Amino acid sequence: MNHSGRGWRRPGSYHHGNLKEALLEAARKLIEEHGAFGFSLTEAARLAGVSPAAPYRHFKDRDALLAEVAHSGFDRFAARLDAAWNNGLPTPLSAFENLGKAYLAFAREEPASYTVMFETGLAPGTEGERLPAAERSFDVLQRAAEALCRQLPEDARPPIKLVSLHFWTMAHGVATLFSQGGRAAGKVPMTPEEVLESGLLIYLKGLGILPDEGDGGESVSG
Amino acid sequence: MNHSGRGWRRPGSYHHGNLKEALLEAARKLIEEHGAFGFSLTEAARLAGVSPAAPYRHFKDRDALLAEVAHSGFDRFAARLDAAWNNGLPTPLSAFENLGKAYLAFAREEPASYTVMFETGLAPGTEGERLPAAERSFDVLQRAAEALCRQLPEDARPPIKLVSLHFWTMAHGVATLFSQGGRAAGKVPMTPEEVLESGLLIYLKGLGILPDEGDGGESVSG
DNA sequence: TGATTCATGTAAAGGGCTTTTACATCAAAG
DNA sequence: CTTTGATGTAAAAGCCCTTTACATGAATCA
């Protein structure tokens, strides 16, 4: 159990001790630095201090490693969104704001994971099998949409899946447009959080969930 | 001038005649089929019927070819958005709906271009220089936001750049979430166009640009 | 204790990709 | 007709992906 704990190899030992996690960590670091294109299995192995063939004891091939980056990313993503939503407490609206912030925080703190999860087309496994953690992530958005829409009279409620898709759309749009390189950065003197929150408040007003002249309106002008 | 016109080499001729465009076309086709990862310069050359070294007469390196895919993509993207917006005619709202449809139509018809434009981190040239065509694309959204916001009393208008960023955010989010493989497809029985339009109508209602009980409300429920 | 087994890592090799360099071809200009 | 410049080829170096045969060592079992 003499694991090095942060992905580095025990010096003077034939076996690494924690290679799988070390490779995932190296992959995330390399993707952050050189983009999703500039990732090489050999270089990840070099970072972990092993030969180019060693990764094949833990991953079928290069794509399998990236798929695992996506998979484990979705695990943390779902957990984080779920914790932020916190069952809609203390109020659905404040929980919803926390949810949006958590979404963007994950995209900023794990840009490599987020990229591989959403932008590479590798996430759904080698053969279109769904990722349960990805479903769980979407479910959090859906529960939030449901709780918010419950504030509307029953006959005025739009389809929950549609509303949650709108949420996802906005969060994902802000996350990617502001991500590294920031095609949107510099276009507006606001943080991604402010852009997302203002957009969501306007949207909720449009749904009739927020009053026309709430604090939402002021935070929009500010 | 015996160009083959669609990227294929003249048979029995040493020179290709239209290699640069043929390579761009091959790149888009390969990216569509195998994802942005599975693109190889050698295979593009093979598709065009030339040797692996030939592309270097037209592009500095592999990334330069991809950057050109992004660049030419933004050119067509901006032109298409501009034509759809049509100076806000006949009405800002109908022109705006056309704009949204044109955005999604481009993303669907040129998925490879769209991917390289927004998802690879290669678009802004090798060295952070801005793409004028990318600016022009955003400008169309901004002009639309301005025209729509002009319908509000002056002291109730949110910042134009923020609104156009919200537009971009929603359009980009829908475009990518529904793109190939369709992580969002199957979650909701609607087309991307319906998801985007309904989201934008709700948003515009939230801004006060649309009445609370317009045809927008009905199209949301439907 | 000592041999065996199994997971894990290495070395070497084949094949593909990227890129450079020297050379080949051909159309157009002089 | 010759020259020239643009465009394409061949060959080679270097890197990466992946497989195969072999090496190491920790845990198991007699």
Side-chain angles (χ1 to χ4, degrees):
Chain A
M1 306 298 184
N2 195 4
H3 291 172
S4 33
R6 242 204 46 102
W8 287 104
R9 183 177 196 161
R10 280 178 303 195
S13 131
Y14 190 85
H15 291 296
H16 183 289
N18 195 22
L19 184 52
K20 186 168 184 177
E21 195 49 50
L23 288 170
L24 292 171
E25 201 175 309
R28 286 187 288 260
K29 177 176 175 183
L30 289 173
I31 291 172
E32 259 180 62
E33 287 174 358
H34 308 113
F37 276 102
F39 161 71
S40 113
L41 196 50
T42 297
E43 197 171 355
R46 206 157 33 224
L47 266 185
V50 297
S51 76
Y56 291 86
R57 296 295 176 196
H58 300 274
F59 303 98
K60 177 176 160 289
D61 56 18
R62 195 190 106 113
D63 282 0
L65 193 158
L66 288 175
E68 178 69 23
V69 168
H71 184 97
S72 65
F74 269 119
D75 273 341
R76 291 187 298 280
F77 188 54
R80 189 153 184 179
L81 294 186
D82 195 58
W85 172 243
N86 189 30
N87 280 105
L89 298 174
T91 73
L93 190 60
S94 70
F96 186 57
E97 286 178 7
N98 288 335
L99 181 54
K101 284 176 192 155
Y103 194 111
L104 296 179
F106 180 87
R108 176 169 35 235
E109 291 169 24
E110 293 199 37
S113 298
Y114 194 87
T115 296
V116 177
M117 286 157 62
F118 288 103
E119 294 187 1
T120 63
L122 288 173
T126 314
E127 290 298 315
E129 21 162 320
R130 294 287 168 194
L131 287 180
E135 305 288 331
R136 272 189 291 132
S137 305
F138 182 71
D139 282 349
V140 179
L141 297 184
Q142 195 162 329
R143 288 202 303 278
E146 196 169 352
L148 288 167
C149 286
R150 241 195 301 272
Q151 306 187 4
L152 290 174
E154 201 166 342
D155 59 346
R157 286 180 200 162
I160 299 298
K161 289 215 163 186
L162 178 61
V163 173
S164 44
L165 212 49
H166 287 153
F167 290 167
W168 194 5
T169 277
M170 287 193 250
H172 178 70
V174 171
T176 57
L177 288 178
F178 277 87
S179 71
Q180 60 159 3
R183 203 172 309 283
K187 289 211 180 309
V188 94
M190 297 179 75
T191 66
E193 281 78 7
E194 289 168 328
V195 173
L196 177 59
E197 181 167 342
S198 60
L200 287 171
L201 288 176
I202 293 170
Y203 177 88
L204 291 181
K205 263 201 282 190
L207 274 184
I209 290 174
L210 283 179
D212 278 354
E213 299 293 323
D215 53 344
E218 302 178 26
S219 102
V220 164
S221 304
Chain B
M1 307 304 176
N2 195 4
H3 291 173
S4 35
R6 244 204 46 102
W8 286 104
R9 183 178 196 160
R10 279 179 304 195
S13 127
Y14 189 85
H15 291 297
H16 183 288
N18 196 20
L19 184 52
K20 185 168 185 176
E21 195 49 49
L23 289 170
L24 292 171
E25 200 175 309
R28 286 188 287 260
K29 177 177 176 182
L30 289 173
I31 291 172
E32 260 180 62
E33 287 174 359
H34 308 113
F37 276 101
F39 162 71
S40 110
L41 198 49
T42 296
E43 198 172 355
R46 207 157 33 224
L47 264 186
V50 296
S51 76
Y56 291 85
R57 295 295 175 195
H58 300 272
F59 302 99
K60 177 176 159 290
D61 56 20
R62 196 190 107 113
D63 282 0
L65 193 159
L66 288 175
E68 179 70 23
V69 168
H71 184 97
S72 65
F74 268 120
D75 271 342
R76 290 186 299 280
F77 188 53
R80 188 153 185 179
L81 294 187
D82 196 57
W85 171 243
N86 189 30
N87 280 105
L89 299 175
T91 73
L93 189 61
S94 70
F96 186 58
E97 287 179 5
N98 288 335
L99 180 55
K101 284 177 191 154
Y103 193 112
L104 296 179
F106 180 87
R108 175 168 36 233
E109 292 170 23
E110 293 199 37
S113 298
Y114 195 87
T115 297
V116 177
M117 285 157 63
F118 288 103
E119 294 186 1
T120 62
L122 288 172
T126 314
E127 290 298 316
E129 23 161 319
R130 293 287 168 195
L131 287 180
E135 305 288 330
R136 272 189 291 132
S137 305
F138 182 71
D139 280 350
V140 179
L141 297 184
Q142 195 162 329
R143 288 202 303 278
E146 197 170 352
L148 288 168
C149 286
R150 240 195 300 273
Q151 307 186 4
L152 292 174
E154 201 166 344
D155 59 344
R157 290 179 199 161
I160 299 298
K161 289 215 165 184
L162 178 61
V163 173
S164 43
L165 211 50
H166 288 153
F167 290 167
W168 194 5
T169 276
M170 287 192 250
H172 178 70
V174 171
T176 58
L177 288 178
F178 277 87
S179 70
Q180 60 159 5
R183 201 172 311 282
K187 288 209 180 309
V188 94
M190 296 179 73
T191 65
E193 281 78 8
E194 290 169 328
V195 173
L196 178 58
E197 183 167 341
S198 60
L200 287 171
L201 288 176
I202 294 170
Y203 177 89
L204 291 180
K205 263 201 282 190
L207 274 183
I209 289 173
L210 284 179
D212 277 356
E213 298 292 325
D215 54 344
E218 304 179 25
S219 102
V220 165
S221 304

